[in-house]
Amino acid sequence: AQSVTQLDSHVSVSEGTPVLLRCNYSSSYSPSLFWYVQHPNKGLQLLLKYTSAATLVKGINGFEAEFKKSETSFHLTKPSAHMSDAAEYFCVVSDLAAGNKLTFGGGTRVLVKP
Amino acid sequence: GAGVSQSPRYKVAKRGQDVALRCDPISGHVSLFWYQQALGQGPEFLTYFQNEAQLDKSGLPSDRFFAERPEGSVSTLKIQRTQQEDSAVYLCASSYSGGGGAKNEQFFGPGTRLTVL
């Protein structure tokens, strides 16, 4: 069975400072990992995905994530937060044992202070 | 280019009523997924179609939940005799082809917010 744990339910940062959202996963096989963002009243948008190629993955809007198999982690970072980054972020895992379904973490709500 | 659309965007039902939620996937997308997102939680998988075939319905919480995709395009999620615990946002997603893995990105619709009174 696969699972995802997002270690922080809320993160508050000041505009212009780094953002770190932590994610640990559990998977029976080599997983595919994703980060999605959800703005209020909008659909989920894919930020980036890990496809078993490069362990450092770059996504949209300056976000990136590093896959660390030894730590079963896939933390999301951004060097400098912008006000528009305020949203809910979900770490997601999918693996062959689970077919096509995505398993979401509980989400991290990001607040950006001016 | 049209994305995934869902209707209605908001639905209020009295306990015991039946509801039907519609999903229009991206044209040409083979795979279609339904997820349920309770307030303050991450989405949870309900069911999956490849064309008109329902390949996985392991996430449907009870036999009151039923989904169909008769022509391999539009899908309807039906909930019979709604209960308060059914209140959630119901998300639909589609992907270009079947098979798992990161190559088959799922594109999400805006969701239908169901409130059961």
Side-chain angles (χ1 to χ4, degrees), chain A residues 1-2 27-29 93-103, chain B residues 45 48 56 58 100:
Chain A
Q2 58 186 19
S27 176
S28 303
Y29 301 96
V93 65
S94 171
D95 67 30
L96 288 175
N100 299 289
K101 65 183 107 176
L102 302 180
T103 298
Chain B
F45 171 81
Y48 157 62
D56 187 344
S58 61

Side-chain angles (χ1 to χ4, degrees), chain A residues 20-33:
Chain A
L20 169 64
L21 305 184
R22 298 181 294 166
C23 172
N24 286 98
Y25 69 90
S26 172
S27 176
S28 303
Y29 301 96
S30 296
S32 298
L33 293 160

